[in-house]
């Protein structure tokens, strides 16, 4: 059993001591999660309000004073907004520049244009992964749908055979690779290193995309046969950027720049032990997530913005237009941090840690199970990540940087498990592909499950050597 097993963890956790009996804390957590689920799925309350209500419910049922619960919630809200909010804003600005400049179209056209019909599903998986690296899932899906329709129509392949690999690429990036909100939140809560998690996240994402994308897509294409929707039929010409596009090389340079900077910091920490060494100090600064993304946005203003013929006013409007769309995401993520802090301060994490130690449960497996259960209940990968990270916090004391990153990735794998009717992404995919609920479950939902389980398997295999 590796050191990722709970039995080898240090007993002296820094988590607060439980504020109530074990049964009461478990009841508080279950009731709090149930409140969130009911408010989101039945009452149709916005997730921000649902998380606030869930946090208050946990504290009150656990027997804490309301002022103490509010203090915990606001502390968690503020720290999460500070740690993750800036990164989400910068990532959104970059994604908007990538889309509006025509850079995303250039990536798609270049990769798909060089693929044979047999290799098209693999090319679509690659396109989905590259587009999904800097973009939120929903943005990437909207951007890729005209391409998926066009490729399916021209190649004669099944819409599902072409579309599932692209969805797998998008979803894997969303669940495993920062700077997406889920991985960022887990990194922030657990204190993992972003560069290390980024490197391992890519290593986990590649085989899971292959299994859940081209391989599963070929099978799913036989289960569900769909006509290609007429939506966007005229768009390939209409949506082309009227000005010149940035070249494929320049676009890829822009997309991979923050990735390289953050990976450089992680590599320097491994191979340069002297913190005062000038190369180490420079890479540490450049690889800091906020600096790396800030550099990427500034560079993209020139390579993608000016490179596509945008003037300064257009670039300013483009970056500004990226922010209103993420206001809700920022509030949900920050409120999730508040909910997390209420759970932490109640001592349920300590209680769970003690139980896991006695049961000799692998931290990686437990992290995945918790995230998968919360994902099933709430339909939100981000909420699943936040809550599972909070519950598992008492089990990560003393783990190395690589082991912490694997815990983050196990939670990420669990957070994409079996998307169904309480997930907004489920309905987005259903409507874009023109499927029934049953067809969406047989394709999209099972693809997410394959992605989740194969991701866990890869994480567990990496846990044997890290």
């Amino acid at each position: 059993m590796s050191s990722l097993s709970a039995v080898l963890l240090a007993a002296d956790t820094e988590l607060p001591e439980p504020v109530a009996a074990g049964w009461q804390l478990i009841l508080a957590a279950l009731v709090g999660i149930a409140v969130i689920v009911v408010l989101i799925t039945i009452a149709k309350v916005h997730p921000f309000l649902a998380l606030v209500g869930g946090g208050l419910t946990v504290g009150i049922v656990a027997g804490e004073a309301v002022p103490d619960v509010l203090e915990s919630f606001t502390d968690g809200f503020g720290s999460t907004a500070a740690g993750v909010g800036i990164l989400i804003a910068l990532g959104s600005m970059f994604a908007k520049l990538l889309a509006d400049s025509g850079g995303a179209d250039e990536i798609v056209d270049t990769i798909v244009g060089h693929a044979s019909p047999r290799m098209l599903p693999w090319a679509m998986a690659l396109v989905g992964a590259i587009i999904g690296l800097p973009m939120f899932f929903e943005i990437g899906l909207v951007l890729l749908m005209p391409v998926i329709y066009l490729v399916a129509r021209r190649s004669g392949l099944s819409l599902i055979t072409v579309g599932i690999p692209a969805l797998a690429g998008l979803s894997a990036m969303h669940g495993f690779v920062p700077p997406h909100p889920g991985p960022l939140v887990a990194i922030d809560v657990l204190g993992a290193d972003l560069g290390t998690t980024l490197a391992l996240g890519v290593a986990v994402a590649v085989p899971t995309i292959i299994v859940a994308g081209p391989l599963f897509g070929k099978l799913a294409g036989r289960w569900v046969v769909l006509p290609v929707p007429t939506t966007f039929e005229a768009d390939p010409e209409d949506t082309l950027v009227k000005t010149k596009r940035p070249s494929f090389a320049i676009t890829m340079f822009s997309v991979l720049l923050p990735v390289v900077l953050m990976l450089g910091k992680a590599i320097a920490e491994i191979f340069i032990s002297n913190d005062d060494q000038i190369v180490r100090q420079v890479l540490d600064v450049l690889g800091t997530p906020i600096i790396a993304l800030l550099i990427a946005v500034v560079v993209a203003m020139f390579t993608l913005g000016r490179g596509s013929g945008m003037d300064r006013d257009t670039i300013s409007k483009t970056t500004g237009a990226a922010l209103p769309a993420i206001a809700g995401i920022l509030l949900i993520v920050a409120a999730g941090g508040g909910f997390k802090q209420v759970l932490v301060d109640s001592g349920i994490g300590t209680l769970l840690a003690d139980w896991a130690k006695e049961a000799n449960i692998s931290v990686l497996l437990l992290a995945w199970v918790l995230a998968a259960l919360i994902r099933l209940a709430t339909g939100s990968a981000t909420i699943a990540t936040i809550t599972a990270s909070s519950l598992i916090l008492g089990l990560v004391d003393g783990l190395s940087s690589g082991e912490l990153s694997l815990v983050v990735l196990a939670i990420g794998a669990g957070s994409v498990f079996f998307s169904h009717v309480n997930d907004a992404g489920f309905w987005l995919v259903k409507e874009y592909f023109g499927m029934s609920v049953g067809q969406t479950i047989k394709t999209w939902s099972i693809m997410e499950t394959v992605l989740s389980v194969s991701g866990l398997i890869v994480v567990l295999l990496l846990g044997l050597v890290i």
Side-chain angles (χ1 to χ4, degrees):
M1 180 82 61
S2 73
S3 59
L4 285 172
S5 172
V7 72
L8 296 182
L9 291 171
D12 54 337
T13 175
E14 295 181 0
L15 284 174
E17 289 300 314
V19 298
W23 66 268
Q24 188 173 353
L25 290 180
I26 295 298
L27 178 64
L30 292 176
V31 172
I33 293 172
V35 166
I36 293 173
V37 173
V38 170
L39 288 177
I40 292 174
T41 60
I42 298 178
K44 305 302 179 185
V45 172
H46 191 276
F48 170 71
L49 294 175
L51 284 163
V52 174
L56 289 172
T57 301
V58 170
I60 292 171
V61 175
E64 295 182 85
V66 173
D68 292 337
V69 179
L70 291 175
E71 182 179 358
S72 294
F73 189 90
T74 53
D75 286 347
F77 186 99
S79 62
T80 302
V84 179
I86 298 175
L87 299 181
I88 294 176
L90 290 172
S92 178
M93 285 181 168
F94 183 88
K96 185 67 172 171
L97 282 168
L98 182 64
D100 288 4
S101 68
D105 292 315
E106 183 67 22
I107 292 174
V108 170
D109 291 348
T110 301
I111 294 176
V112 171
H114 288 80
S116 65
R118 181 180 177 185
M119 295 301 294
L120 273 177
W122 297 83
M124 292 303 294
L126 179 60
V127 169
I130 293 175
I131 296 299
L133 189 61
M135 290 190 174
F136 297 130
F137 176 83
E138 292 81 2
I139 299 173
L141 178 62
V142 171
L143 182 69
L144 281 177
M145 284 316 301
V147 180
I148 292 173
Y149 294 159
L150 181 63
V151 171
R153 188 177 295 114
R154 289 185 178 178
S155 66
L157 295 175
S158 163
L159 181 64
I160 297 299
T161 301
V162 171
I164 284 293
L167 296 181
L170 284 174
S171 187
M173 294 296 109
H174 182 75
F176 295 123
V177 181
H180 287 286
L184 280 179
V185 168
I187 289 167
D188 185 61
V189 171
L190 298 177
D193 179 76
L194 193 147
T196 303
T197 307
L198 177 60
L200 291 174
V202 172
V204 171
V206 170
T208 58
I209 291 172
I210 291 173
V211 174
L215 298 183
F216 173 72
K218 185 176 181 180
L219 182 63
R222 298 171 183 169
W223 294 346
V224 176
V225 178
L226 300 170
V228 180
T230 56
T231 315
F232 302 133
E233 190 166 8
D235 278 7
E237 292 185 9
D238 294 342
T239 58
L240 286 177
V241 177
K242 302 306 179 185
T243 55
K244 62 180 180 179
R245 287 184 185 176
S247 68
F248 178 75
I250 289 296
T251 303
M252 288 303 299
F253 166 78
S254 304
V255 169
L256 296 177
L257 177 60
V259 177
V260 171
L261 290 175
M262 287 186 279
L263 285 178
K265 178 179 183 292
I267 292 171
E269 290 173 351
I270 295 172
F271 292 103
I272 304 177
S273 57
N274 183 6
D275 293 343
D276 297 327
Q277 214 269 352
I278 186 65
V279 175
R280 167 75 182 269
Q281 290 179 337
V282 170
L283 290 175
D284 279 347
V285 172
L286 295 179
T288 302
I290 289 178
I291 298 298
L293 278 174
L294 180 60
I295 291 173
V297 171
V298 172
V299 169
M301 289 179 181
F302 294 93
T303 58
L304 302 179
R306 301 293 289 181
S308 65
M310 294 183 182
D311 57 25
R312 284 179 293 180
D313 288 340
T314 304
I315 292 173
S316 177
K317 290 177 182 177
T318 297
T319 52
L323 298 179
I326 63 167
I329 295 173
L330 288 175
L331 286 173
I332 292 170
V333 169
F339 177 72
K340 172 266 299 184
Q341 195 60 45
V342 173
L343 281 172
V344 170
D345 289 348
S346 73
I348 189 172
T350 308
L351 182 70
L352 186 64
D354 292 339
W355 287 354
K357 290 173 189 175
E358 294 173 3
N360 192 26
I361 299 174
S362 164
V363 176
L364 293 177
L365 184 58
L366 182 61
W368 181 86
V369 169
L370 288 172
L373 290 175
I374 298 164
R375 158 72 161 184
L376 284 171
T378 66
S380 169
T382 302
I383 292 175
T385 300
I386 293 168
T387 309
S389 300
S390 310
L391 294 174
I392 210 73
L393 191 55
L395 298 173
V396 300
D397 184 41
L399 296 186
S400 69
S401 176
E403 291 168 338
L404 275 176
S405 294
L406 288 180
V407 175
V408 171
L409 296 174
I411 292 172
S415 73
V416 298
F417 184 81
F418 195 77
S419 164
H420 61 99
V421 294
N422 62 356
D423 177 18
F426 177 93
W427 298 103
L428 197 61
V429 171
K430 173 188 176 296
E431 295 304 317
Y432 268 122
F433 279 79
M435 295 187 287
S436 67
V437 170
Q439 289 173 326
T440 310
I441 290 174
K442 287 196 291 186
T443 53
W444 162 252
S445 299
I446 295 183
M447 183 219 77
E448 287 281 82
T449 304
V450 172
L451 190 75
S452 176
V453 174
S454 57
L456 171 65
I457 292 172
V458 176
V459 168
L460 292 174
L461 291 175
L462 288 174
L464 298 175
V465 296
I466 293 178

